[in-house]
Amino acid sequence: ERDFSGIELTRTKLQGANLKGINLSHARLLQVKLQSANFTQAILNSTSFELADLSHAVIDEANLSEASLCDCNLQRASLERVNMSNAMLQQVNAEDVSLRNANLENSIIVETSLDRAILEGANLTNAMLTESNLDYANLRGAIVTGCDLSEPYKLNTIMPDGQVVSNHDYKP
């Protein structure tokens, strides 16, 4: 059984760990090193990540609904087909991340860098992006109903309809 729901981990090193399908729901992970870890199909709902390094991690098809990521590194991580509905991302480095076909419905994304992120086909319905960057990001085919994309900083960003825009010149 891989059920570690509610666990609290501080300053733990799990680089490259195979955590496929693990249940860490409602867990608190503080200053945990998880570079290149495999979280495919993991249960991470309501999990709190603080100052965690998840760079190069594979988190595909995981459930991160209502999760909180604060001051985390997601650089070059893969979060394809992940459920991040109602999640909170604050001061996250998500540069070069793949969120292809991810569910970010009702998520709050604050002071987060999504530069060069792949958000193709992602569901951003009612998501809030504040003081965040989408430079060179790809949102082609993303669902953005109720999501104000005039707020994030953009430079050569591919919008859902295929337009390439910079700053606030996007008109759907």
Side-chain angles (χ1 to χ4, degrees):
E1 183 69 28
R2 294 169 57 100
D3 186 350
F4 297 94
S5 55
I7 196 169
E8 188 163 324
L9 296 174
T10 303
R11 294 185 192 94
T12 306
K13 295 181 181 179
L14 294 168
Q15 295 100 320
N18 183 4
L19 303 168
K20 182 176 180 178
I22 196 165
N23 183 351
L24 288 169
S25 62
H26 302 277
R28 182 168 184 246
L29 306 175
L30 176 63
Q31 295 180 343
V32 178
K33 305 244 182 244
L34 296 159
Q35 302 97 313
S36 302
N38 180 2
F39 278 101
T40 302
Q41 298 175 339
I43 303 166
L44 303 165
N45 56 297
S46 300
T47 298
S48 174
F49 294 88
E50 298 172 51
L51 298 164
D53 189 348
L54 292 148
S55 58
H56 301 274
V58 178
I59 314 172
D60 297 340
E61 300 176 4
N63 181 1
L64 282 132
S65 62
E66 299 182 8
S68 172
L69 291 91
C70 186
D71 290 315
C72 292
N73 183 1
L74 280 173
Q75 195 169 26
R76 291 188 175 85
S78 179
L79 292 103
E80 297 191 2
R81 299 171 305 283
V82 72
N83 178 8
M84 293 184 80
S85 60
N86 300 297
M88 165 66 120
L89 283 76
Q90 185 170 7
Q91 296 178 333
V92 172
N93 177 356
E95 294 175 356
D96 301 295
V97 73
S98 179
L99 286 157
R100 186 175 279 122
N101 297 312
N103 180 7
L104 293 154
E105 188 172 359
N106 298 313
S107 290
I108 299 171
I109 302 169
V110 180
E111 296 177 39
T112 292
S113 176
L114 288 157
D115 292 348
R116 297 172 303 282
I118 300 169
L119 291 144
E120 287 179 297
N123 181 357
L124 292 159
T125 302
N126 296 321
M128 184 177 79
L129 285 85
T130 306
E131 297 181 36
S132 296
N133 293 338
L134 285 167
D135 293 349
Y136 300 95
N138 183 349
L139 285 89
R140 187 182 303 271
I143 302 165
V144 295
T145 307
C147 177
D148 183 2
L149 289 174
S150 66
E151 171 70 25
Y153 300 104
K154 296 175 292 299
L155 178 65
N156 293 327
T157 301
I158 302 171
M159 301 310 284
D161 59 5
Q163 288 184 59
V164 178
V165 300
S166 294
N167 291 328
H168 302 289
D169 59 356
Y170 179 62
K171 302 285 187 267

